[in-house]
Structures are given as C-alpha cells and as structure tokens.
Amino acid sequence: MVEPGLIKAAQAGDGDALISLLREIENHVYRTAYYIVGNEQDAMDAAQEALIRIYTKIGSYEEKAQFKTWVQRIVTNICIDKFRRTKPTVSIDEHEMVFKDNQSVEEEVLTSYAAQDIRKAIDKLPEHHRAVVVLRYLQDFSYNEIADSLDLPLNTVKSYLFRARQQLQTYLHDYQRGGVRG
C-alpha cells in the first residue's frame, strides 16, 4: 500500500513525507468510510477525522502491525463511533443515475437497483457484521488483516462473516430467486 520509507520519514517529522503519505491513503480511507457509514457527507467527515487522527498519531504507529491495518482500525473505529452517534441518512446524490454508452438503459437500471439493494442489505447488518463485510469484500482484506484492524480474534471474524453472509442471503432472497424489485 505505502512505501515503508515514506512512513519512517513521516514518523521522523518530515512534513512533506507526512503530506505525501496522507495523500496516498486518502482515497482508501474515504472508500472504507463510505461503505461503513453509507452516505457521502458522513463518509467525508469520517475520512477527514481519520486523516487528522493519522496525522497526529503517526508517531505512535509501530511496525508490529501492517500500516494498512493500523489505518483501517482508525477509520473503522471512527465510523462505528459516528454511526452510534447519528441516525443514517440518505443523500439525494446517491440516487442519480448516469447511463453509459456501452450498456442499455435496461441493464443500467437493473444494475443500479441491484447495487442499491445490496447497499441497503449491508446497511441492515449490525455494525460489527457490516465492518467485517466491508473489509473483506469491498477492501479485499484477509481474515488476519480484518482481525488485526478490528482487534478481534480470528475465529470471531470468521463467525461474523458467516453470520453476515447468512443475513445478506436472507435480505437478498428476491435476487437469488430471479425476482424483480417491487
């Protein structure tokens, strides 16, 4: 993810290295925040808060854990705290559809509905299940990386993923049977 020399330089007090480091990880931080909190504005707030925390805490990072799992733990904890404090909202911007030239309108609409329904299903999950699903399937973390990021035992991560998949399967039952959204 990030060059180790850049991390060491940032920890040593090199301001330019720290800025470069933050720029390298900002999209990753935002994407994780978006998938956990579910809307653009809250994700931007959480990502900004996470980047500030990384900026102020870079000196406390120890190479015991991978840098990406350390960053992920910060982002996830901020998002979970934010989710506990506020009720989820829906952004109007999330529902705009842009049609691509290479897809038919019908395919684009069905894809958009499927994506919305998957997003809604993920949003229905309890926060600890949502976090492991986001890290595993949207951020492509290994089970060990998820355990490190969330400070959970490996078997707990596996259990959460198993239960989350069962819940998602229940929520998305219509799609499995070829049903159409009503």
Side-chain angles (χ1 to χ4, degrees):
M1 179 175 156
V2 176
E3 181 184 321
L6 187 60
I7 297 168
K8 289 189 185 298
Q11 288 181 304
D14 182 341
D16 291 336
L18 184 54
I19 298 301
S20 294
L21 177 67
L22 293 173
R23 284 194 175 129
E24 264 191 60
I25 64 172
E26 70 183 335
N27 287 336
H28 174 74
V29 167
Y30 169 78
R31 187 173 51 246
T32 299
Y34 179 80
Y35 283 116
I36 293 175
V37 297
N39 73 64
E40 186 176 347
Q41 191 61 47
D42 286 344
M44 288 171 57
D45 290 346
Q48 181 178 2
E49 189 175 333
L51 290 170
I52 290 169
R53 190 162 304 161
I54 292 164
Y55 178 86
T56 60
K57 303 280 186 183
I58 190 69
S60 69
Y61 167 68
E62 298 174 1
E63 293 183 24
K64 293 177 189 173
Q66 290 182 9
F67 184 70
K68 76 176 187 175
T69 59
W70 181 75
V71 167
Q72 203 62 46
R73 180 179 293 157
I74 290 171
V75 175
T76 304
N77 287 339
I78 287 171
C79 290
I80 289 172
D81 289 345
K82 184 175 248 339
F83 186 75
R84 286 180 182 148
R85 288 191 307 256
T86 61
K87 293 184 177 181
T89 59
V90 177
S91 169
I92 294 172
D93 296 334
E94 292 175 23
H95 298 285
E96 292 180 14
M97 283 192 249
V98 178
F99 297 107
K100 298 178 182 134
D101 292 337
N102 60 350
Q103 277 190 317
S104 73
V105 172
E106 181 180 356
E107 287 173 346
E108 190 68 29
V109 168
L110 290 175
T111 301
S112 175
Y113 280 143
Q116 286 176 21
D117 286 346
I118 291 168
R119 176 76 230 163
K120 286 178 185 176
I122 291 172
D123 286 345
K124 289 180 185 178
L125 294 172
E127 63 190 42
H128 53 282
H129 288 174
R130 185 178 323 118
V132 296
V133 166
V134 167
L135 295 178
R136 179 70 182 126
Y137 298 111
L138 302 175
Q139 297 295 344
D140 202 28
F141 271 41
S142 70
Y143 290 174
N144 288 326
E145 290 171 333
I146 295 168
D148 289 344
S149 293
L150 299 178
D151 199 22
L152 294 171
L154 182 60
N155 285 336
T156 302
V157 169
K158 291 177 181 179
S159 173
Y160 284 178
L161 278 169
F162 177 79
R163 289 187 186 123
R165 282 191 298 262
Q166 284 182 318
Q167 289 173 307
L168 288 172
Q169 193 172 25
T170 300
Y171 297 149
L172 297 171
H173 184 69
D174 287 343
Y175 281 106
Q176 292 171 343
R177 294 183 37 179
V180 182
R181 182 183 158 112

